[in-house]
């Protein structure tokens, strides 16, 4: 049997599709998976179309819901104070002859 495509489905639809195909679902990021209704599947393993035996476990992951995760780790640019110009050029000598060092 082949693994159904579950990415993009709501939790309740993913459970239904899995049951129709004869596979079981596991959601490591949602211990209360059997109660979830409207969270969307964003990743699955094995991938859709993979051959698996009946009763195989398909692992799914969900998007973060309102108030979950995030932690404010978004984009941090522009940084203040702005770093000085120059980067590596400030620290390295200007390129010259590679054989100068050996002389």
């Amino acid at each position: 049997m082949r693994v159904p495509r579950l990415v993009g489905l709501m939790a309740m639809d993913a459970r239904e599709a899995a049951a129709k195909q004869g596979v079981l679902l596991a959601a490591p990021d949602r211990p209360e998976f059997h109660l979830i209704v409207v969270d969307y599947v964003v990743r699955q393993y094995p991938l859709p179309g993979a051959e698996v035996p009946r009763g195989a476990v398909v692992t799914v992951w969900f998007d973060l819901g309102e108030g979950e995760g995030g932690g404010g780790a978004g984009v941090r640019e522009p940084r203040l104070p702005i770093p000085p110009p120059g980067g590596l050029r400030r620290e390295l000598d200007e390129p010259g002859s590679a054989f100068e060092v050996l002389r």
Side-chain angles (χ1 to χ4, degrees), residues 6-102:
L6 304 172
V7 174
L9 298 179
M10 287 190 291
M12 63 183 213
D13 296 332
R15 286 192 300 267
E16 189 175 301
K20 283 182 183 176
Q21 289 294 322
V23 295
L24 304 173
L25 291 185
D29 63 338
R30 294 291 197 272
E32 71 292 350
F33 174 63
H34 64 284
L35 301 175
I36 297 173
V37 177
V38 295
D39 288 359
Y40 286 88
V41 176
V42 294
R43 193 172 62 157
Q44 77 179 72
Y45 183 82
L47 296 174
E51 280 287 330
V52 295
R54 179 171 285 287
V57 175
V58 176
T59 304
V60 293
W61 291 268
F62 293 92
D63 60 344
L64 295 177
E66 195 64 36
E68 292 181 321
V75 176
R76 301 273 188 214
E77 297 294 335
R79 296 179 295 184
L80 296 176
I82 296 174
L88 290 177
R89 293 198 66 153
R90 279 189 17 202
E91 298 177 19
L92 299 176
D93 293 333
E94 288 296 319
S97 171
F99 298 104
E100 252 180 60
V101 175
L102 298 176

